[in-house]
Amino acid sequence: MSTTEESDLGTGIDFTAEQDSEEFTELRKTHRSFVFPMAVIFLLWYFAYVLLADYAHEFMSIKVWGNVNVGLLLGLLQFVSTFGITAAYVSYSNRKLDPKAAAIRKRLEAQAGE
Amino acid sequence: MNVLSSAILAAAPEATKVGNPWVNIGIFGLFVGITLIVVLKASSNNKTAADYYAGGRSFTGTQNGTAIAGDYLSAASFLGIVGAIAINGYDGFLYSIGFLVAWLVALLLVAELLRNTGKFTMADVLSFRLKQRPVRIAAAISTLAVCVFYLLAQMAGAGALVSLLLGIDGKLGQSLVIVVVGALMIVYVLIGGMKGTTWVQIIKACLLIAGAFIMTIMVLAAYGFNFSALLGAAVESAGTPEILNPGLQYGKSGTSKLDFISLALALVLGTAGLPHVLMRFYTVPTAKEARRSVVWAIWLIGGFYLFTLVLGYGAGAMIGAEKIKAAPGGVNSAAPLLAFELGGPLLLGLISAVAFATILAVVAGLTITAAASFAHDVYASVIAKGKSTPEKEMKVARRTVVVIGIFAIVGGIGAQGQNVAFLVALAFAVAASANLPTILYSLFWKKFTTQGAVWSMVGGLGSAILLIVFSPVMSGLPTSMIPGADFAVFPLANPGIVSIPLAFALGWLGSVLDKNTEDPVKAAEMEVRSLTGVGAEKAVDH
């Protein structure tokens, strides 16, 4: 069913052994220890905001600066946090994930090429 | 999304008398001309399936991210959100936040892993370590369902939008426009494939964002770049400070509040399950570029929604809710009216043409996704049982494009004037219920099985559709699809709050009850590939 030359590599790789390898376990841990907590945090923060906007009208209507109220400010903070998490993830990936993934990939592809 | 698109589709049947339709048509014609040349150039080397479905994986992260923004920022986002903020104030703003935050799901959990594991379609990833046939069929059905609902809504919206923007009146005129949009779209997709479609999206996204940016600066300049002063003017024009506070639209009753939570859930989890968005992760060479795409898309989409906040309150302040509601296009006329107010017929023409181009581009993106899914998942894998050749598969894909195009034209004409808001809401809810749970389970949960995948997808799709059928969007209200009948036993307009948790639960239950075990070697391969990109990045590393 293969329609391209891509992704056909892998016949020479023992993926099960690789999955259990220390190097890969470490990569998985590095990945999950960032994305899972981060996903939980932003979802909680988003739904906290949604619930406030839905059920705490008085609180959201408090004026903070001129005509800008708490609701608007929290809404803009959702933008800030989204941008912030994005930037943090990129920096984390570049520093921690990419080197580990690239090392394993190079080793496996050398194996498969043999 | 509900209100946004219903607003578009509710666009009045009469033509607007603002501006000059010929300027609008001229600028739109220019857009079509330029994009057609680009599509023709881009298509000169569409040889393999990877070229046709995935643009040869030749796009950079920045280009692809711009195209993602183009796919995502539909006419509903632009006209709908600006209008919703102008009329309903803060509650309109709530949409944009859901639409934006949703991208973090795609960024953190889906984009890169998907790029590393699949080739062309969502089903590639879902069926990687499970049994091919049942999973592919289920995934193809939900892909086609989401695309068709989205497609019909866009096509029907096109008819309503042109009546507003181009001054074309009456059912015949609108039907003609739908035929033109459909035919143009077929040409784009047939000739250009994914590469051509992507370039159309990029051009359109740049125009849309630039147009919104210019208007934002003009609005802010009118109030001395003081946002608080702009809000003050909006309050004065509306005659109530409530437009700055939440609740104007969703605060009416306990049910409407619950409906908002349901919508918020569908929005935040639906985006990363939209098949035409998922397919965009395959048009880049590496997972790192997939990440760059999403990052770039987040900046563009976030920036754009900030502009719409200014534009929405600006329209409220400078034009006034009453005048907007009374205008031929209703809520949707807010952005065009504001453009006319700020920059006369030329800016109006530009904004109108961009809005129209948006529908064309989004429809093209949906069609290629649906065609790829049919040819690759249903035809090549299930009907031909993997014995098809790439040439044969692409032939099927091209035929599917024509069939879907004709279907979209006929369906779009049939859906004219209908309350098709439920189609878009359904698309997001189906994506969140049928697709996302299975995607997340197969990427992160070792014990996930074929039965779990099929239960989750079928259950999510089925429950979302059933709940919509028995909801107030279908019957029971004057604004329903079938206003005369009343079988709305489910009180909410959006099924997400029920169907999404149900799909997650079914995926888990189906897996733990499954007596068959899945191939552990395949599971290991999928996990190693997804995190490292082995094989998928070969072409680049060597």
Side-chain angles (χ1 to χ4, degrees), chain B residues 118-180:
Chain B
K119 278 181 192 165
F120 302 126
T121 65
M122 181 183 83
D124 282 345
V125 176
L126 302 189
S127 65
F128 194 101
R129 64 186 168 99
L130 305 177
K131 295 190 180 53
Q132 289 275 339
R133 281 171 68 94
V135 175
R136 261 192 205 275
I137 293 172
I141 290 173
S142 82
T143 297
L144 289 172
V146 176
C147 286
V148 162
F149 293 132
Y150 225 111
L151 203 62
L152 282 182
Q154 298 286 337
M155 292 300 284
L161 191 66
V162 284
S163 80
L164 162 72
L165 300 176
L166 301 185
I168 295 174
D169 234 336
K171 197 157 167 82
L172 188 72
Q174 288 192 29
S175 304
L176 210 65
V177 170
I178 291 179
V179 174
V180 172

Short mmCIF file of all heavy atoms in Angstrom, two decimals, chain B residues 118-180:
data_model
loop_
_atom_site.label_atom_id
_atom_site.label_comp_id
_atom_site.label_asym_id
_atom_site.label_seq_id
_atom_site.Cartn_x
_atom_site.Cartn_y
_atom_site.Cartn_z
N GLY B 118 2.38 9.28 10.43
CA GLY B 118 1.50 9.06 9.29
C GLY B 118 2.08 9.55 7.99
O GLY B 118 3.19 10.06 7.93
N LYS B 119 1.27 9.35 6.94
CA LYS B 119 1.72 9.80 5.63
C LYS B 119 0.82 10.88 5.05
O LYS B 119 1.26 11.94 4.68
CB LYS B 119 1.73 8.62 4.67
CG LYS B 119 2.95 7.77 4.80
CD LYS B 119 2.86 6.64 3.79
CE LYS B 119 3.90 5.59 4.05
NZ LYS B 119 3.57 4.37 3.31
N PHE B 120 -0.47 10.54 4.94
CA PHE B 120 -1.38 11.47 4.27
C PHE B 120 -2.62 11.82 5.07
O PHE B 120 -3.12 12.92 5.01
CB PHE B 120 -1.85 10.89 2.94
CG PHE B 120 -0.73 10.55 2.01
CD1 PHE B 120 -0.62 9.28 1.47
CD2 PHE B 120 0.21 11.50 1.66
CE1 PHE B 120 0.41 8.96 0.62
CE2 PHE B 120 1.24 11.19 0.80
CZ PHE B 120 1.34 9.91 0.28
N THR B 121 -3.15 10.84 5.77
CA THR B 121 -4.45 11.07 6.40
C THR B 121 -4.42 10.73 7.88
O THR B 121 -3.49 10.10 8.36
CB THR B 121 -5.55 10.22 5.73
OG1 THR B 121 -5.25 8.85 5.98
CG2 THR B 121 -5.65 10.48 4.25
N MET B 122 -5.47 11.15 8.56
CA MET B 122 -5.63 10.85 9.97
C MET B 122 -5.66 9.34 10.20
O MET B 122 -5.10 8.83 11.17
CB MET B 122 -6.94 11.48 10.43
CG MET B 122 -7.28 11.31 11.85
SD MET B 122 -8.88 12.04 12.18
CE MET B 122 -9.97 10.72 11.69
N ALA B 123 -6.31 8.62 9.26
CA ALA B 123 -6.44 7.17 9.42
C ALA B 123 -5.09 6.46 9.40
O ALA B 123 -4.93 5.41 10.01
CB ALA B 123 -7.35 6.62 8.32
N ASP B 124 -4.11 7.04 8.71
CA ASP B 124 -2.77 6.47 8.71
C ASP B 124 -2.26 6.27 10.13
O ASP B 124 -1.66 5.26 10.46
CB ASP B 124 -1.78 7.41 7.99
CG ASP B 124 -1.91 7.33 6.49
OD1 ASP B 124 -2.52 6.36 6.01
OD2 ASP B 124 -1.40 8.23 5.81
N VAL B 125 -2.48 7.28 10.95
CA VAL B 125 -1.99 7.25 12.31
C VAL B 125 -2.84 6.31 13.17
O VAL B 125 -2.32 5.51 13.94
CB VAL B 125 -2.00 8.67 12.91
CG1 VAL B 125 -1.57 8.64 14.36
CG2 VAL B 125 -1.09 9.57 12.10
N LEU B 126 -4.15 6.43 13.00
CA LEU B 126 -5.05 5.64 13.85
C LEU B 126 -4.91 4.15 13.57
O LEU B 126 -5.08 3.32 14.46
CB LEU B 126 -6.50 6.08 13.64
CG LEU B 126 -6.76 7.55 13.92
CD1 LEU B 126 -8.26 7.83 13.90
CD2 LEU B 126 -6.21 7.97 15.27
N SER B 127 -4.63 3.80 12.31
CA SER B 127 -4.59 2.37 11.99
C SER B 127 -3.17 1.81 12.04
O SER B 127 -2.95 0.65 11.76
CB SER B 127 -5.19 2.14 10.60
OG SER B 127 -4.38 2.76 9.63
N PHE B 128 -2.22 2.64 12.46
CA PHE B 128 -0.82 2.22 12.44
C PHE B 128 -0.61 0.90 13.17
O PHE B 128 -0.06 -0.04 12.64
CB PHE B 128 0.06 3.31 13.06
CG PHE B 128 1.52 3.13 12.80
CD1 PHE B 128 2.15 3.88 11.82
CD2 PHE B 128 2.28 2.22 13.52
CE1 PHE B 128 3.50 3.72 11.57
CE2 PHE B 128 3.62 2.04 13.27
CZ PHE B 128 4.24 2.80 12.30
N ARG B 129 -1.09 0.84 14.42
CA ARG B 129 -0.80 -0.37 15.20
C ARG B 129 -2.06 -1.17 15.48
O ARG B 129 -2.04 -2.14 16.22
CB ARG B 129 -0.12 0.01 16.52
CG ARG B 129 -0.99 0.83 17.44
CD ARG B 129 -0.16 1.27 18.64
NE ARG B 129 -0.81 2.28 19.44
CZ ARG B 129 -1.47 2.00 20.56
NH1 ARG B 129 -1.63 0.77 20.96
NH2 ARG B 129 -1.98 2.99 21.27
N LEU B 130 -3.19 -0.72 14.90
CA LEU B 130 -4.44 -1.47 15.10
C LEU B 130 -4.78 -2.19 13.81
O LEU B 130 -4.04 -2.12 12.84
CB LEU B 130 -5.55 -0.51 15.51
CG LEU B 130 -5.24 0.37 16.73
CD1 LEU B 130 -6.39 1.32 16.99
CD2 LEU B 130 -4.98 -0.48 17.96
N LYS B 131 -5.92 -2.86 13.80
CA LYS B 131 -6.28 -3.58 12.58
C LYS B 131 -6.72 -2.60 11.51
O LYS B 131 -7.61 -1.77 11.73
CB LYS B 131 -7.39 -4.59 12.89
CG LYS B 131 -6.83 -5.62 13.84
CD LYS B 131 -7.68 -6.80 14.08
CE LYS B 131 -6.95 -7.73 15.04
NZ LYS B 131 -6.52 -7.01 16.29
N GLN B 132 -6.09 -2.72 10.36
CA GLN B 132 -6.27 -1.71 9.31
C GLN B 132 -7.72 -1.46 8.92
O GLN B 132 -8.19 -0.34 8.97
CB GLN B 132 -5.49 -2.15 8.06
CG GLN B 132 -4.00 -2.04 8.21
CD GLN B 132 -3.50 -0.64 7.90
OE1 GLN B 132 -4.16 0.13 7.22
NE2 GLN B 132 -2.35 -0.30 8.43
N ARG B 133 -8.42 -2.52 8.49
CA ARG B 133 -9.71 -2.31 7.84
C ARG B 133 -10.74 -1.60 8.73
O ARG B 133 -11.23 -0.54 8.35
CB ARG B 133 -10.27 -3.61 7.28
CG ARG B 133 -9.63 -4.00 5.96
CD ARG B 133 -10.04 -5.39 5.56
NE ARG B 133 -11.45 -5.46 5.22
CZ ARG B 133 -11.91 -5.34 3.97
NH1 ARG B 133 -11.09 -5.12 2.99
NH2 ARG B 133 -13.19 -5.44 3.72
N PRO B 134 -11.08 -2.17 9.90
CA PRO B 134 -12.14 -1.51 10.69
C PRO B 134 -11.77 -0.08 11.08
O PRO B 134 -12.61 0.83 11.01
CB PRO B 134 -12.29 -2.40 11.92
CG PRO B 134 -11.10 -3.28 11.95
CD PRO B 134 -10.62 -3.41 10.55
N VAL B 135 -10.52 0.12 11.47
CA VAL B 135 -10.12 1.45 11.95
C VAL B 135 -10.11 2.45 10.79
O VAL B 135 -10.59 3.58 10.91
CB VAL B 135 -8.75 1.39 12.64
CG1 VAL B 135 -8.28 2.77 13.01
CG2 VAL B 135 -8.83 0.51 13.86
N ARG B 136 -9.59 2.01 9.64
CA ARG B 136 -9.56 2.91 8.49
C ARG B 136 -10.96 3.30 8.04
O ARG B 136 -11.22 4.45 7.72
CB ARG B 136 -8.82 2.26 7.32
CG ARG B 136 -7.41 2.75 7.23
CD ARG B 136 -6.74 2.38 5.95
NE ARG B 136 -5.31 2.35 6.17
CZ ARG B 136 -4.53 3.42 6.09
NH1 ARG B 136 -5.03 4.59 5.78
NH2 ARG B 136 -3.25 3.33 6.34
N ILE B 137 -11.85 2.30 8.02
CA ILE B 137 -13.22 2.61 7.58
C ILE B 137 -13.86 3.62 8.55
O ILE B 137 -14.41 4.64 8.12
CB ILE B 137 -14.08 1.33 7.50
CG1 ILE B 137 -13.54 0.43 6.37
CG2 ILE B 137 -15.54 1.67 7.23
CD1 ILE B 137 -14.17 -0.93 6.31
N ALA B 138 -13.72 3.36 9.85
CA ALA B 138 -14.32 4.27 10.84
C ALA B 138 -13.71 5.67 10.72
O ALA B 138 -14.42 6.68 10.72
CB ALA B 138 -14.14 3.72 12.25
N ALA B 139 -12.38 5.72 10.57
CA ALA B 139 -11.72 7.02 10.49
C ALA B 139 -12.10 7.76 9.22
O ALA B 139 -12.29 8.98 9.22
CB ALA B 139 -10.20 6.84 10.56
N ALA B 140 -12.23 7.01 8.11
CA ALA B 140 -12.61 7.66 6.86
C ALA B 140 -14.04 8.20 6.94
O ALA B 140 -14.33 9.29 6.46
CB ALA B 140 -12.49 6.67 5.70
N ILE B 141 -14.93 7.43 7.58
CA ILE B 141 -16.31 7.90 7.71
C ILE B 141 -16.36 9.19 8.52
O ILE B 141 -17.01 10.16 8.14
CB ILE B 141 -17.20 6.82 8.37
CG1 ILE B 141 -17.40 5.66 7.40
CG2 ILE B 141 -18.56 7.40 8.77
CD1 ILE B 141 -18.10 4.47 7.99
N SER B 142 -15.63 9.22 9.65
CA SER B 142 -15.71 10.45 10.46
C SER B 142 -15.01 11.61 9.75
O SER B 142 -15.46 12.76 9.84
CB SER B 142 -15.18 10.22 11.87
OG SER B 142 -13.80 10.30 11.90
N THR B 143 -13.93 11.32 8.99
CA THR B 143 -13.29 12.38 8.21
C THR B 143 -14.27 12.95 7.19
O THR B 143 -14.45 14.17 7.08
CB THR B 143 -12.06 11.84 7.45
OG1 THR B 143 -11.10 11.40 8.39
CG2 THR B 143 -11.44 12.91 6.58
N LEU B 144 -14.92 12.05 6.45
CA LEU B 144 -15.86 12.51 5.43
C LEU B 144 -17.02 13.26 6.07
O LEU B 144 -17.47 14.29 5.56
CB LEU B 144 -16.37 11.32 4.61
CG LEU B 144 -15.32 10.71 3.67
CD1 LEU B 144 -15.83 9.43 3.03
CD2 LEU B 144 -14.92 11.70 2.59
N ALA B 145 -17.50 12.76 7.23
CA ALA B 145 -18.62 13.43 7.89
C ALA B 145 -18.25 14.86 8.28
O ALA B 145 -18.97 15.81 7.96
CB ALA B 145 -19.05 12.64 9.13
N VAL B 146 -17.09 15.01 8.92
CA VAL B 146 -16.69 16.36 9.33
C VAL B 146 -16.53 17.26 8.11
O VAL B 146 -17.03 18.39 8.07
CB VAL B 146 -15.37 16.32 10.14
CG1 VAL B 146 -14.90 17.73 10.47
CG2 VAL B 146 -15.54 15.52 11.41
N CYS B 147 -15.86 16.75 7.08
CA CYS B 147 -15.63 17.57 5.88
C CYS B 147 -16.94 17.97 5.22
O CYS B 147 -17.12 19.12 4.81
CB CYS B 147 -14.76 16.82 4.87
SG CYS B 147 -13.04 16.72 5.35
N VAL B 148 -17.86 17.02 5.10
CA VAL B 148 -19.12 17.32 4.42
C VAL B 148 -19.93 18.37 5.18
O VAL B 148 -20.44 19.32 4.59
CB VAL B 148 -19.93 16.02 4.22
CG1 VAL B 148 -21.38 16.33 3.91
CG2 VAL B 148 -19.33 15.21 3.08
N PHE B 149 -20.01 18.23 6.51
CA PHE B 149 -20.77 19.22 7.28
C PHE B 149 -20.16 20.62 7.13
O PHE B 149 -20.84 21.61 6.92
CB PHE B 149 -20.81 18.84 8.76
CG PHE B 149 -21.60 17.60 9.01
CD1 PHE B 149 -21.11 16.58 9.80
CD2 PHE B 149 -22.86 17.46 8.45
CE1 PHE B 149 -21.85 15.43 10.02
CE2 PHE B 149 -23.60 16.30 8.66
CZ PHE B 149 -23.08 15.29 9.44
N TYR B 150 -18.83 20.65 7.23
CA TYR B 150 -18.11 21.91 7.13
C TYR B 150 -18.29 22.52 5.74
O TYR B 150 -18.51 23.71 5.56
CB TYR B 150 -16.63 21.62 7.35
CG TYR B 150 -15.92 22.57 8.25
CD1 TYR B 150 -15.47 22.17 9.50
CD2 TYR B 150 -15.67 23.87 7.86
CE1 TYR B 150 -14.80 23.05 10.31
CE2 TYR B 150 -15.00 24.76 8.68
CZ TYR B 150 -14.56 24.32 9.90
OH TYR B 150 -13.90 25.20 10.71
N LEU B 151 -18.21 21.62 4.74
CA LEU B 151 -18.30 22.02 3.34
C LEU B 151 -19.67 22.62 3.02
O LEU B 151 -19.77 23.69 2.41
CB LEU B 151 -18.08 20.78 2.48
CG LEU B 151 -17.60 20.94 1.06
CD1 LEU B 151 -16.26 21.59 1.03
CD2 LEU B 151 -17.50 19.56 0.39
N LEU B 152 -20.71 21.93 3.43
CA LEU B 152 -22.07 22.41 3.16
C LEU B 152 -22.29 23.78 3.78
O LEU B 152 -22.86 24.68 3.17
CB LEU B 152 -23.11 21.42 3.70
CG LEU B 152 -23.34 20.18 2.85
CD1 LEU B 152 -24.42 19.32 3.48
CD2 LEU B 152 -23.74 20.57 1.43
N ALA B 153 -21.81 23.91 5.02
CA ALA B 153 -22.00 25.19 5.70
C ALA B 153 -21.29 26.31 4.95
O ALA B 153 -21.82 27.40 4.77
CB ALA B 153 -21.48 25.09 7.13
N GLN B 154 -20.06 26.01 4.48
CA GLN B 154 -19.31 27.04 3.77
C GLN B 154 -19.99 27.40 2.46
O GLN B 154 -20.07 28.57 2.08
CB GLN B 154 -17.88 26.55 3.47
CG GLN B 154 -17.04 26.26 4.70
CD GLN B 154 -16.58 27.51 5.40
OE1 GLN B 154 -16.50 28.58 4.82
NE2 GLN B 154 -16.29 27.41 6.69
N MET B 155 -20.48 26.38 1.73
CA MET B 155 -21.10 26.65 0.44
C MET B 155 -22.39 27.44 0.61
O MET B 155 -22.66 28.39 -0.14
CB MET B 155 -21.41 25.33 -0.28
CG MET B 155 -20.20 24.56 -0.73
SD MET B 155 -19.17 25.47 -1.87
CE MET B 155 -20.12 25.34 -3.37
N ALA B 156 -23.20 27.02 1.57
CA ALA B 156 -24.44 27.76 1.80
C ALA B 156 -24.12 29.17 2.27
O ALA B 156 -24.80 30.13 1.90
CB ALA B 156 -25.29 27.04 2.84
N GLY B 157 -23.07 29.28 3.08
CA GLY B 157 -22.65 30.60 3.54
C GLY B 157 -22.21 31.48 2.38
O GLY B 157 -22.45 32.69 2.38
N ALA B 158 -21.60 30.87 1.36
CA ALA B 158 -21.12 31.65 0.22
C ALA B 158 -22.28 32.37 -0.44
O ALA B 158 -22.17 33.56 -0.78
CB ALA B 158 -20.43 30.73 -0.79
N GLY B 159 -23.40 31.67 -0.61
CA GLY B 159 -24.56 32.29 -1.24
C GLY B 159 -25.04 33.50 -0.46
O GLY B 159 -25.28 34.58 -1.02
N ALA B 160 -25.13 33.31 0.86
CA ALA B 160 -25.61 34.41 1.70
C ALA B 160 -24.63 35.57 1.71
O ALA B 160 -25.01 36.74 1.67
CB ALA B 160 -25.85 33.90 3.11
N LEU B 161 -23.34 35.22 1.73
CA LEU B 161 -22.31 36.25 1.82
C LEU B 161 -22.29 37.13 0.58
O LEU B 161 -22.17 38.35 0.67
CB LEU B 161 -20.95 35.58 2.02
CG LEU B 161 -19.80 36.51 2.38
CD1 LEU B 161 -20.04 37.11 3.74
CD2 LEU B 161 -18.48 35.77 2.35
N VAL B 162 -22.42 36.52 -0.58
CA VAL B 162 -22.35 37.34 -1.79
C VAL B 162 -23.56 38.25 -1.91
O VAL B 162 -23.46 39.34 -2.47
CB VAL B 162 -22.22 36.52 -3.08
CG1 VAL B 162 -20.84 36.01 -3.22
CG2 VAL B 162 -23.25 35.44 -3.15
N SER B 163 -24.70 37.78 -1.43
CA SER B 163 -25.86 38.66 -1.49
C SER B 163 -25.55 39.94 -0.74
O SER B 163 -25.93 41.03 -1.14
CB SER B 163 -27.08 37.98 -0.90
OG SER B 163 -27.05 38.04 0.51
N LEU B 164 -24.78 39.79 0.35
CA LEU B 164 -24.40 40.94 1.14
C LEU B 164 -23.30 41.75 0.47
O LEU B 164 -23.36 42.96 0.38
CB LEU B 164 -23.94 40.45 2.52
CG LEU B 164 -23.11 41.40 3.37
CD1 LEU B 164 -23.98 42.52 3.89
CD2 LEU B 164 -22.49 40.65 4.53
N LEU B 165 -22.30 41.05 -0.04
CA LEU B 165 -21.09 41.74 -0.48
C LEU B 165 -21.10 42.14 -1.94
O LEU B 165 -20.55 43.16 -2.32
CB LEU B 165 -19.87 40.87 -0.20
CG LEU B 165 -19.65 40.50 1.26
CD1 LEU B 165 -18.47 39.56 1.39
CD2 LEU B 165 -19.44 41.73 2.11
N LEU B 166 -21.69 41.33 -2.78
CA LEU B 166 -21.61 41.61 -4.21
C LEU B 166 -22.92 42.16 -4.76
O LEU B 166 -23.02 42.48 -5.93
CB LEU B 166 -21.21 40.35 -4.99
CG LEU B 166 -19.87 39.73 -4.61
CD1 LEU B 166 -19.54 38.58 -5.52
CD2 LEU B 166 -18.75 40.76 -4.65
N GLY B 167 -23.92 42.23 -3.92
CA GLY B 167 -25.18 42.79 -4.39
C GLY B 167 -25.94 41.86 -5.32
O GLY B 167 -26.77 42.30 -6.10
N ILE B 168 -25.63 40.56 -5.25
CA ILE B 168 -26.39 39.62 -6.08
C ILE B 168 -27.60 39.14 -5.29
O ILE B 168 -27.46 38.61 -4.20
CB ILE B 168 -25.52 38.43 -6.52
CG1 ILE B 168 -24.40 38.94 -7.41
CG2 ILE B 168 -26.36 37.39 -7.25
CD1 ILE B 168 -23.39 37.90 -7.78
N ASP B 169 -28.74 39.33 -5.89
CA ASP B 169 -29.99 39.12 -5.16
C ASP B 169 -30.69 37.85 -5.62
O ASP B 169 -30.45 37.35 -6.69
CB ASP B 169 -30.91 40.31 -5.43
CG ASP B 169 -31.37 40.91 -4.13
OD1 ASP B 169 -31.37 40.16 -3.14
OD2 ASP B 169 -31.71 42.10 -4.10
N GLY B 170 -31.59 37.38 -4.82
CA GLY B 170 -32.50 36.32 -5.26
C GLY B 170 -31.86 34.95 -5.25
O GLY B 170 -30.63 34.80 -5.23
N LYS B 171 -32.70 33.92 -5.26
CA LYS B 171 -32.24 32.55 -5.14
C LYS B 171 -31.44 32.12 -6.36
O LYS B 171 -30.43 31.44 -6.24
CB LYS B 171 -33.45 31.63 -4.93
CG LYS B 171 -33.07 30.28 -4.39
CD LYS B 171 -34.23 29.61 -3.69
CE LYS B 171 -33.92 28.15 -3.43
NZ LYS B 171 -33.13 27.88 -2.26
N LEU B 172 -31.89 32.52 -7.54
CA LEU B 172 -31.20 32.10 -8.76
C LEU B 172 -29.78 32.67 -8.79
O LEU B 172 -28.81 31.96 -9.05
CB LEU B 172 -31.99 32.56 -9.98
CG LEU B 172 -31.45 32.01 -11.30
CD1 LEU B 172 -31.77 30.52 -11.43
CD2 LEU B 172 -32.02 32.78 -12.49
N GLY B 173 -29.68 33.97 -8.49
CA GLY B 173 -28.37 34.62 -8.50
C GLY B 173 -27.43 33.95 -7.51
O GLY B 173 -26.27 33.67 -7.81
N GLN B 174 -27.95 33.66 -6.30
CA GLN B 174 -27.12 33.04 -5.27
C GLN B 174 -26.71 31.63 -5.68
O GLN B 174 -25.58 31.20 -5.45
CB GLN B 174 -27.87 33.01 -3.95
CG GLN B 174 -27.98 34.38 -3.33
CD GLN B 174 -28.46 34.29 -1.90
OE1 GLN B 174 -28.22 33.32 -1.21
NE2 GLN B 174 -29.14 35.33 -1.45
N SER B 175 -27.64 30.90 -6.29
CA SER B 175 -27.32 29.55 -6.75
C SER B 175 -26.21 29.59 -7.78
O SER B 175 -25.29 28.77 -7.78
CB SER B 175 -28.55 28.87 -7.37
OG SER B 175 -29.61 28.87 -6.45
N LEU B 176 -26.30 30.58 -8.66
CA LEU B 176 -25.28 30.75 -9.69
C LEU B 176 -23.91 30.99 -9.05
O LEU B 176 -22.90 30.43 -9.48
CB LEU B 176 -25.67 31.95 -10.57
CG LEU B 176 -25.20 31.87 -12.02
CD1 LEU B 176 -25.89 30.71 -12.72
CD2 LEU B 176 -25.49 33.18 -12.75
N VAL B 177 -23.92 31.82 -8.00
CA VAL B 177 -22.65 32.10 -7.31
C VAL B 177 -22.10 30.82 -6.69
O VAL B 177 -20.90 30.56 -6.74
CB VAL B 177 -22.85 33.19 -6.25
CG1 VAL B 177 -21.62 33.30 -5.38
CG2 VAL B 177 -23.15 34.52 -6.92
N ILE B 178 -22.98 30.02 -6.11
CA ILE B 178 -22.53 28.75 -5.50
C ILE B 178 -21.92 27.85 -6.57
O ILE B 178 -20.88 27.22 -6.36
CB ILE B 178 -23.71 28.05 -4.78
CG1 ILE B 178 -24.08 28.87 -3.54
CG2 ILE B 178 -23.33 26.63 -4.38
CD1 ILE B 178 -25.24 28.30 -2.76
N VAL B 179 -22.53 27.83 -7.75
CA VAL B 179 -21.98 27.03 -8.86
C VAL B 179 -20.60 27.54 -9.23
O VAL B 179 -19.65 26.76 -9.41
CB VAL B 179 -22.92 27.06 -10.09
CG1 VAL B 179 -22.26 26.36 -11.27
CG2 VAL B 179 -24.24 26.39 -9.76
N VAL B 180 -20.46 28.87 -9.32
CA VAL B 180 -19.16 29.45 -9.67
C VAL B 180 -18.10 29.10 -8.62
O VAL B 180 -16.99 28.66 -8.96
CB VAL B 180 -19.27 30.99 -9.84
CG1 VAL B 180 -17.89 31.60 -10.01
CG2 VAL B 180 -20.15 31.32 -11.03
#
